[in-house]
Amino acid sequence: MTDNEIKLKAIAALTGVRGGIGADYVSSLLGEVTPAEFLVPAEADAAEVGSAVLDQLSGPLSALISGFVLAFEAVADAFDETGSPASAQEILQDLALRLASESD
């Protein structure tokens, strides 16, 4: 799967969540970007296996995150153009402050 296809999956997942599609479907959609199988050296120890798996996951997960960021930027830009009294940045700052003040 190409980086662009993975970014499209991220956008589809966000669209699905906002459209009320079930969480199981969205999880399945996002699960499609991770490899079904991993190639590891036959004689690898645990650290080498972990490193090989991480290497094979990092590309798809990076593309997925890029897709989410790209989608967010498009929505935030469109929101800011509406003339709302609060900008997308202010809304994010408020959210961050609320999360930071919550106790774990």
Side-chain angles (χ1 to χ4, degrees):
M1 187 173 293
T2 68
D3 281 3
N4 202 44
E5 290 170 328
I6 294 171
K7 290 175 186 177
L8 288 169
K9 294 278 186 187
I11 294 167
L14 290 171
T15 303
V17 168
R18 293 295 297 169
I21 292 176
D24 289 343
Y25 179 78
V26 172
S27 291
S28 175
L29 184 67
L30 294 176
E32 293 175 11
V33 307
T34 57
E37 298 176 350
F38 296 94
L39 300 174
V40 296
E43 302 298 323
D45 63 19
E48 292 169 325
V49 169
S51 181
V53 169
L54 184 59
D55 286 345
Q56 293 169 61
L57 277 175
S58 64
L61 293 180
S62 178
L64 188 63
I65 292 167
S66 292
F68 286 131
V69 170
L70 180 66
F72 172 78
E73 287 177 340
V75 171
D77 288 345
F79 176 79
D80 286 344
E81 290 176 7
T82 66
S84 174
S87 69
Q89 182 175 352
E90 291 168 330
I91 292 168
L92 289 172
Q93 289 170 342
D94 181 62
L95 176 61
L97 289 172
R98 284 187 283 142
L99 288 173
S101 68
E102 290 179 4
S103 60
D104 291 330

